[in-house]
């Protein structure tokens, strides 16, 4: 904070040294209240509240009764506004104050004092909105505007002309370069050379707490009260102060005529904000000094009057009682500055300042974008300048977040040989920023293997809901299990600065994006180890949809949603300036859109691949596995759910958190069941909160893998319509539906006990499940969520000689059915006949198992080497580059060309899979 400046040295008697609210004591005269007390004490001797309220009442009235009262119409005057204006005048050394609808409204009122032919002198570094309004006056109002560097009062002399110069418009400090104007000297020069000219000062940056330009000869001062006076960005307001009655009358006439006075409620909010002005500003400018010092130490060109090297510091200390809470700095490269903005998290990207929350912006593309780039260049406004507006957060958190943003963007690096918290400025090349490789090697203790040579093969299962469909919406427990039909994803490195997607099962969609062309300006990246916020970043989603998607996706809704999900996750996970270039191909043995959790298995594959490529996961060495071959899953390497896990639980949980984010993008409000099954495999019970039962998801330990026949009816289902139908039926027939829901809950409870009972024989389990399946389906039919095609499938599977239990799964209304296949009671030839029968009826049957493994990860480079960590080496088995590239392309080509039936076996042969 700046040293305290004695009032006597300013040569003026401050108007805010008003008497205390209570009479002086005859024994000891009271001293005038200090500024912080004046802010907190809202007292107007001429407007005493009849009830003695400690907070000024809101007179939320447009009109007032009577013909001789002080108030008649709130456009012209309002008691709440009068309290506010008296208070603003008190703390501004003013006799008159006006509260209007915004800071720009305040300037508009002031500029209406001009007439055609007048000349205005303004600074060359001013707020973009001010420049816009002056340009309008110059174009449409016949007013001449001169933009001058106001840091030297002599620069104005050539433009000050008696009879012509009508106004000198100043900012000090300026926005955003924080140039300083000698207010007292300029005001004296103007009065000497053009006595009729008005000196107007925009004091928003300082507020009356730190600077009161009326004390230095200014005629009019205005603030955007949206900023520091309010302090919370919950209202828009502007204030004007002056000590000349003639000017006050003219501006009052304009306000009354135009009707832009501040509303009573906003006056109340602004009064409340002003009470804490002093304490907020003290905290904010103290932290601003810490931030400015840190950036200056790193070697950035920092603009802040509190720094010893600031050219206007001495003048500023004569003007003000502090240095303020706004600073700016340049990086030397616009793209680098944009990356810094995108990497910040605690510093919110916003065009404004003055709030209790810290903000960051690039004025040339935000608040000052309305100024022509050529004019910005002429006035010396750097395109790469970053403005920081410091809030009241803990300084340590702000510094930490800013350091991470600078590091992630490549603006700084870790100093070799120093401790991990010692940062230095990264090298700036002529063409732009040359990011030191030390960032890659030292930041966040990352693995130093070249990212461009990483290739990952991942897979995740689908899911079936065995019991509780639709009833789960009303609080009934659902039993969900993984199904060994899987989604597979393969990443293939490339070296051309692009990322490519191929969705083989979604119209064989393929597209490539140039990484630098993606909307990085809309990204608020998530730090390594940090969790995604509860809400999605809608700004980023909209930017991707509007600026990154090819037009061919307009006719492919599923691929469009999948592409948005992939790009959102890729961009929000990216750290620093490092953006891995690769191709990602997705294939599935799951029927897409059939209610078997295909989107969740896709989400799990996408986030796993991205977490690995962005080095957010570190996999351990491969343990000695146990091989558990079965008919549906020959040769897979499994780790028992009761024993060791090849993929540690903490990694699986991290994948699951991000997979839930992906599901949010795809579905809006998912339950979390599908992604949990896709990651962890096995089976779980899910109960929705808010219905009296214990909510949440619990694994069913000891679940025994079961054979099922899944049949895709190939009839689309409308989940929302079906859910709404059950709700409507419940409203119309509450007792009937209530009994059905209780019955389904009993079925889920019984199935959960049976599936987790280690003492129950396999035969008894299958018999119990078969009966529960039939009973559950009957209740779902009564709820109205089945479909004729599902009933046809049930009839065929229940007929002789099959006699199998079948029910719908998922949404119903089409979609899929599940048929339990007893281990020993079904002849394989008879089962083959049933599969053929269903296929001939235009259905798609899949013989598979339920309750198997979850997420799988394979290193495609090491099929014969199981030593060491799973992280792939730079080349497979030390092959030269040409053979390495050929091997990689061979793998990708084979993956894309294999038939659906061949895909699982081919994938299992690639090497050792690690499963959750």
């Amino acid at each position: 904070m700046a040293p305290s400046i004695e009032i006597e040295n300013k040569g003026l008697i401050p108007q805010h040294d008003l008497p205390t609210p209570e009479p002086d004591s005859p024994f000891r005269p009271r001293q005038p209240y200090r500024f912080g007390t004046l802010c907190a004490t809202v007292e107007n001797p001429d407007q005493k509240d009849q009830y003695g309220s400690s907070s000024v009442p809101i007179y939320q009235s447009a009109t007032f009764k009577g013909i001789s009262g002080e108030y008649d119409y709130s456009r012209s005057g309002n008691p709440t506004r009068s309290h506010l204006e008296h208070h603003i005048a008190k703390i501004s050394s003013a006799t008159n104050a006006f509260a209007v609808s915004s800071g720009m409204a305040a300037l508009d009122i002031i500029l209406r004092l001009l007439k055609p032919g007048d000349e205005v002198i303004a600074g060359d570094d001013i707020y973009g909105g001010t420049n816009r309004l002056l340009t309008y006056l110059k174009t449409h109002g016949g007013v001449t505007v001169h933009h001058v560097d106001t840091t030297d009062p002599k620069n104005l002399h050539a433009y000050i002309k008696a009879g012509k110069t009508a106004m000198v418009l100043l900012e000090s400090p300026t926005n955003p370069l924080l140039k300083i104007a000698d207010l007292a000297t300029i005001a004296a020069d103007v009065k000497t050379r053009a006595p009729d000219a008005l000196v107007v000062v925009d004091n928003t940056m300082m507020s009356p707490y730190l600077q009161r330009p009326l004390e230095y000869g200014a005629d009019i001062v205005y603030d955007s009260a949206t900023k520091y006076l309010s302090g919370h960005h919950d209202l828009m307001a502007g204030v004007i102060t002056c000590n000349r009655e003639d000017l006050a009358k003219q501006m009052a006439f304009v306000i009354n005529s135009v009707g832009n006075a501040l509303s009573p409620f906003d006056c109340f909010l602004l009064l409340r904000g002003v009470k804490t002005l002093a304490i907020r500003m003290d905290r904010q400018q103290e932290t601003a000094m810490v931030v400015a010092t840190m950036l200056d130490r790193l070697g950035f060109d920092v603009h802040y009057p509190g720094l010893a090297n600031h050219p206007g510091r001495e003048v500023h200390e004569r003007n003000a009682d502090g240095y303020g809470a706004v600073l700016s700095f340049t990086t030397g490269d616009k793209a680098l500055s944009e990356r810094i903005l995108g990497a910040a998290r605690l510093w919110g990207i916003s065009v404004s300042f003055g709030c209790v929350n810290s903000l960051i912006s690039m004025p040339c593309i935000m608040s000052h974008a309305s100024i022509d780039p050529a004019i910005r260049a002429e006035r010396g406004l750097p395109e790469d300048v970053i403005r920081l507006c410091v809030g009241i957060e803990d300084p340590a958190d702000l510094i930490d977040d800013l350091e991470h943003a600078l590091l992630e963007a490549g603006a700084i690096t870790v100093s070799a040989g120093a401790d991990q918290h010692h940062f230095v400025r990264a090298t700036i090349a002529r063409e732009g920023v040359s990011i030191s490789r030390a960032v890659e090697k030292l930041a966040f203790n990352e693995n130093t293997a070249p990212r461009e040579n990483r290739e990952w093969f991942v897979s995740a299962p689908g899911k079936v809901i065995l019991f509780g469909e639709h009833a789960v919406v009303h609080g009934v427990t659902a039993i969900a299990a993984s199904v060994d039909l899987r989604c597979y994803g393969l990443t293939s490195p490339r070296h051309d600065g692009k990322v490519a997607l191929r969705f083989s099962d979604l119209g064989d969609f393929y597209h490539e994006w140039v990484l630098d062309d993606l909307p990085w300006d809309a990204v608020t990246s998530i730090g390594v180890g940090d969790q995604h916020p509860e809400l999605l970043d809608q700004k980023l989603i909209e930017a991707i949809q509007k600026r990154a998607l090819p037009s061919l996706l307009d006719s492919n809704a599923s691929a469009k949603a999948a592409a948005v999900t992939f790009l959102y996750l890729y961009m929000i996970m990216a750290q620093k300036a490092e953006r891995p270039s690769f191709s990602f191909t997705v294939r599935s043995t799951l029927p897409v859109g059939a209610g078997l959790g295909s989107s969740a298995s896709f989400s799990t594959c996408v986030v796993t691949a991205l977490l690995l490529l962005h080095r957010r996961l570190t996999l351990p060495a491969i343990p000695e596995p146990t091989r558990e071959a079965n008919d549906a899953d020959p040769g897979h390497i499994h780790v028992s759910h009761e024993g060791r896990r090849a993929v540690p639980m903490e990694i699986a949980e991290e994948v699951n958190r991000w997979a839930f984010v992906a599901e949010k993008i795809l579905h809006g409000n998912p339950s979390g069941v599908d992604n949990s099954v896709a990651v962890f495999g096995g089976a779980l019970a899910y109960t929705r909160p808010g219905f009296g039962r214990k909510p949440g998801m619990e694994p069913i330990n000891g679940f025994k893998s079961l054979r099922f026949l899944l049949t895709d009816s190939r009839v689309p289902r409308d989940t929302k319509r079906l859910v709404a139908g059950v709700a409507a039926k419940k409203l119309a027939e509450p007792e009937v539906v209530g009994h059905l829901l209780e019955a389904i809950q009993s079925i889920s409870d019984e199935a959960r006990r049976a599936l987790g009972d280690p003492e129950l024989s396999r035969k008894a389990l299958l018999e119990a499940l078969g009966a529960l399946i039939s009973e559950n389906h009957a209740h779902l039919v009564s709820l109205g969520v089945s479909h004729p095609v599902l009933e046809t499938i049930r009839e065929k599977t229940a007929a002789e000689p099959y006699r199998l239990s079948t029910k719908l799964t998922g949404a119903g209304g089409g979609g899929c059915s599940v048929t339990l296949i007893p281990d020993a009671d079904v002849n394989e030839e008879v089962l083959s006949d049933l599969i053929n029968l269903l296929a001939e009826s235009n259905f798609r049957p899949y013989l598979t198992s339920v309750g198997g493994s979850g997420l799988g990860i394979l290193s495609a480079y090491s099929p014969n080497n199981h030593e060491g960590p799973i992280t792939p080496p730079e080349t497979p088995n030390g092959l030269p580059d040409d053979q390495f590239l050929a091997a990689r392309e061979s793998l990708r080509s084979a993956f894309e060309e294999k038939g659906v039936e061949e895909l699982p076996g081919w994938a299992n042969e690639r090497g050792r899979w690690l499963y959750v």
Side-chain angles (χ1 to χ4, degrees):
M1 190 184 299
S4 176
I5 300 170
E6 294 296 330
I7 296 299
E8 287 75 15
N9 292 340
K10 298 181 180 180
L12 292 169
I13 298 175
Q15 297 294 321
H16 67 262
D17 281 352
L18 300 178
T20 60
E22 298 298 327
D24 286 346
S25 166
F27 303 104
R28 182 170 62 88
R30 293 175 183 253
Q31 296 298 315
Y33 283 161
R34 291 169 176 80
F35 197 98
T37 306
L38 289 175
C39 285
T41 308
V42 182
E43 292 286 349
N44 186 345
D46 298 326
Q47 282 188 295
K48 292 291 186 179
D49 179 64
Q50 60 180 321
Y51 299 111
S53 60
S54 59
S55 179
V56 173
I58 306 172
Y59 288 87
Q60 194 68 42
S61 178
T63 61
F64 299 85
K65 296 178 181 179
I67 59 174
S68 59
E70 182 178 354
Y71 303 101
D72 56 6
Y73 194 55
S74 277
R75 172 166 54 80
S76 306
N78 180 280
T80 310
R81 189 158 68 243
S82 294
H83 269 286
L84 170 64
E85 291 172 343
H86 176 273
H87 196 56
I88 295 297
K90 180 178 70 175
I91 65 174
S92 301
S93 298
T95 56
N96 298 279
F98 303 98
V100 295
S101 57
S102 71
M104 290 310 301
L107 178 59
D108 177 64
I109 291 163
I110 296 167
L111 294 180
R112 287 174 188 260
L113 300 173
L114 300 171
K115 61 183 184 299
D118 285 345
E119 295 187 6
V120 175
I121 302 172
D124 61 352
D125 179 39
I126 56 175
Y127 171 53
T130 302
N131 185 85
R132 182 169 53 239
L133 190 51
L134 289 174
T135 301
Y136 179 87
L137 280 180
K138 183 168 61 174
T139 305
H140 302 282
V143 174
T144 300
V145 181
H146 305 286
H147 290 281
V148 181
D149 179 2
T150 57
T151 58
D152 185 349
K154 295 178 182 178
N155 293 339
L156 282 70
H157 291 177
Y159 299 96
I160 303 174
K161 304 171 186 176
K164 296 294 285 184
T165 302
M167 186 177 293
V168 176
L169 182 58
L170 303 172
E171 292 183 23
S172 185
T174 61
N175 181 8
L177 296 181
L178 287 97
K179 297 179 180 180
I180 305 301
D182 189 335
L183 299 179
T185 301
I186 292 175
D189 286 349
V190 171
K191 296 307 179 184
T192 299
R193 295 168 182 266
D196 294 332
L198 300 176
V199 177
V200 178
V201 179
D202 178 352
N203 197 45
T204 304
M205 194 82 83
M206 289 284 100
S207 85
Y209 178 49
L210 298 182
Q211 184 171 270
R212 292 164 295 281
L214 292 178
E215 298 174 1
Y216 297 95
D219 296 292
I220 302 173
V221 177
Y222 72 98
D223 288 61
S224 171
T226 309
K227 314 300 192 297
Y228 288 113
L229 286 169
S230 166
H232 296 80
H233 281 186
D234 53 6
L235 71 111
M236 293 188 68
V239 297
I240 307 170
T241 57
C242 71
N243 284 324
R244 285 177 49 177
E245 291 300 322
D246 59 330
L247 297 178
K249 288 180 180 178
Q250 293 179 66
M251 291 187 290
F253 174 82
V254 173
I255 295 168
N256 186 45
S257 301
V258 174
N260 57 359
L262 195 61
S263 71
F265 185 73
D266 285 337
C267 289
F268 166 79
L269 289 178
L270 186 51
L271 270 170
R272 185 174 65 171
V274 172
K275 291 179 181 179
T276 60
L277 172 62
I279 194 169
R280 285 187 281 104
M281 288 297 299
D282 283 344
R283 173 62 175 258
Q284 288 172 272
Q285 65 177 346
E286 182 180 357
T287 304
M289 178 61 86
V290 175
V291 174
T293 302
M294 182 269 283
L295 291 170
D296 184 63
R297 177 183 57 78
L298 288 171
F300 293 101
D301 185 12
V302 184
H303 310 289
Y304 186 62
L307 295 176
N309 59 8
H310 191 285
R313 178 173 179 169
E314 181 181 352
V315 174
H316 181 77
E317 289 182 345
R318 292 203 308 267
N319 287 349
D321 296 330
Y323 302 124
V326 177
L327 63 136
S328 63
F329 69 102
T330 55
T331 65
D333 181 79
K334 182 180 179 182
L336 175 60
S337 296
E338 291 176 350
R339 292 197 296 271
I340 292 171
L341 257 69
R345 295 189 61 215
L346 190 55
W347 297 82
I349 300 176
S350 175
V351 296
S352 192
F353 63 90
C355 185
V356 292
N357 306 110
S358 294
L359 305 173
I360 187 172
S361 68
M362 284 185 67
C364 288
I365 62 174
M366 298 173 71
S367 59
H368 292 61
S370 60
I371 303 176
D372 185 88
I375 296 177
R376 293 200 299 262
E378 179 184 340
R379 297 179 185 173
L381 181 58
E383 295 293 309
D384 63 313
V385 69
I386 293 175
R387 188 181 70 183
L388 297 175
C389 310
V390 181
I392 65 171
E393 301 93 341
D394 191 289
D397 291 331
L398 290 173
I399 290 291
D400 181 71
D401 187 66
L402 186 56
E403 285 178 344
H404 274 80
L406 294 168
L407 187 65
E408 291 172 18
I412 61 174
T413 184
V414 182
S415 176
D419 65 63
Q420 61 178 341
H421 294 298
H422 186 74
F423 300 109
V424 295
R425 181 85 177 273
T427 305
I428 304 293
R430 251 185 335 181
E431 301 82 4
V433 178
S434 176
I435 302 171
S436 170
R437 291 298 294 178
V439 174
E440 296 176 27
K441 294 180 179 180
L442 299 177
F444 305 113
N445 298 315
E446 288 184 319
N447 189 311
T448 58
R451 185 173 307 219
E452 61 271 15
N453 284 342
R454 290 169 177 256
E455 187 168 25
W456 294 99
F457 200 7
V458 298
S459 71
K463 74 94 181 60
V464 291
I465 295 184
L466 298 177
F467 303 99
E469 293 90 338
H470 282 287
V472 70
V473 176
H474 303 281
V476 173
T477 302
I479 307 297
S482 62
V483 54
D484 203 23
L485 298 171
R486 303 178 75 86
C487 178
Y488 297 87
L490 175 67
T491 71
S492 298
R494 50 195 300 162
H495 305 273
D496 56 359
K498 296 180 180 180
V499 65
L501 280 182
R502 166 154 280 153
F503 299 142
S504 300
D505 304 302
L506 301 177
D508 199 25
F509 166 79
Y510 180 81
H511 189 72
E512 296 179 354
W513 286 269
V514 176
L515 286 171
D516 289 342
D517 291 344
L518 293 174
W520 295 101
D521 58 299
V523 178
T524 302
S525 62
I526 305 298
V528 175
D530 293 336
Q531 296 185 22
H532 189 286
E534 183 178 349
L535 298 178
L536 296 174
D537 187 340
Q538 292 299 328
K539 177 183 176 183
L540 177 57
I541 291 176
E542 291 173 7
I544 291 171
Q545 292 173 334
K546 292 178 180 178
R547 295 156 53 188
L549 298 186
S551 57
L552 60 90
L553 280 175
D554 292 341
S555 59
N556 191 339
S558 297
K560 182 176 182 178
V564 170
T565 302
F566 173 85
L567 291 175
Y568 178 97
L569 294 167
Y570 176 91
M571 296 175 71
I572 210 164
M573 286 185 190
Q575 301 295 303
K576 306 180 294 298
E578 195 166 328
R579 302 163 183 170
S581 176
F582 64 98
S583 296
F584 187 52
T585 302
V586 181
R587 298 199 62 193
S588 181
T589 58
L590 277 163
V592 177
L596 295 179
S598 57
S599 71
S601 57
F602 163 78
S603 296
T604 302
C605 286
V606 166
V607 302
T608 304
L610 291 176
L611 287 168
L612 290 166
L613 285 164
H614 286 299
R615 301 189 210 184
R616 290 171 173 262
L617 295 182
T618 301
L619 295 181
I622 306 175
E624 288 300 320
T626 57
R627 188 173 298 274
E628 298 177 356
N630 60 50
D631 293 340
D633 188 21
H636 269 58
I637 305 300
H638 292 276
V639 177
S640 168
H641 282 270
E642 291 79 20
R644 297 173 302 156
R645 292 175 179 268
V647 178
M649 176 62 77
E650 60 269 20
I651 289 179
E653 290 174 345
E654 178 73 359
V655 170
N656 195 39
R657 281 191 289 268
W658 281 97
F660 184 62
V661 174
E663 285 286 88
K664 281 186 177 181
I665 303 171
L666 290 168
H667 300 299
N669 187 27
S671 67
V673 172
D674 289 14
N675 52 275
S676 295
V677 172
V679 173
F680 296 107
L684 60 81
Y686 169 72
T687 306
R688 187 180 179 191
F691 290 89
R693 298 183 180 90
K694 181 183 178 182
M697 287 178 279
E698 296 182 6
I700 301 177
N701 298 317
F703 185 92
K704 307 167 184 66
S705 182
L706 302 169
R707 292 180 76 197
F708 271 88
L709 181 65
L710 305 183
T711 306
D712 183 2
S713 70
R714 305 184 69 178
V715 173
R717 72 266 188 267
D718 186 343
T719 305
K720 290 183 178 179
R721 181 183 61 81
L722 293 167
V723 171
V726 174
K729 187 176 182 67
K730 183 179 181 181
L731 187 63
E733 305 175 73
E735 291 187 7
V736 172
V737 174
H739 289 313
L740 289 172
L741 297 179
E742 290 175 6
I744 295 174
Q745 178 65 52
S746 297
I747 291 171
S748 293
D749 292 340
E750 181 61 29
R752 184 176 180 179
R753 284 191 291 270
L755 291 168
D757 186 355
E759 304 298 327
L760 193 64
S761 69
R762 184 78 171 179
K763 181 177 181 180
L765 172 65
L766 293 171
E767 289 177 353
L769 291 179
L772 293 174
I773 283 173
S774 298
E775 186 180 350
N776 194 175
H777 185 83
H779 293 321
L780 294 173
V781 171
S782 299
L783 287 175
V785 296
S786 187
H787 189 279
V789 293
L790 295 173
E791 298 308 314
T792 298
I793 294 170
R794 287 193 72 250
E795 290 172 4
K796 292 182 181 296
T797 57
E800 293 289 346
Y802 315 117
R803 294 179 296 179
L804 301 176
S805 299
T806 299
K807 66 181 289 294
L808 66 87
T809 186
C816 266
S817 68
V818 292
T819 302
L820 179 63
I821 307 298
D823 296 333
D825 295 345
V826 174
N827 183 291
E828 293 301 319
E829 292 184 4
V830 172
L831 182 57
S832 178
D833 289 340
L834 174 60
I835 292 172
N836 292 333
L837 175 65
L838 293 169
E840 290 169 359
S841 301
N842 202 34
F843 303 128
R844 288 178 179 167
Y846 301 85
L847 185 60
T848 185
S849 62
V850 168
S853 299
L855 166 67
I857 303 173
L858 174 140
S859 171
Y861 294 161
S862 52
N864 301 311
N865 178 18
H866 307 310
E867 301 298 326
I870 190 67
T871 302
E874 295 184 21
T875 58
N877 300 323
L879 292 176
D881 286 346
D882 57 343
Q883 295 182 38
F884 161 72
L885 294 173
R888 178 204 308 158
E889 289 304 314
S890 173
L891 178 67
R892 181 181 173 191
S893 298
F895 175 61
E896 293 180 349
E897 294 170 4
K898 287 292 180 182
V900 174
E901 296 80 7
E902 304 173 279
L903 188 57
W906 176 84
N908 295 336
E909 294 168 0
R910 295 310 92 203
R912 179 164 291 184
W913 284 86
L914 301 183
Y915 286 100
V916 176

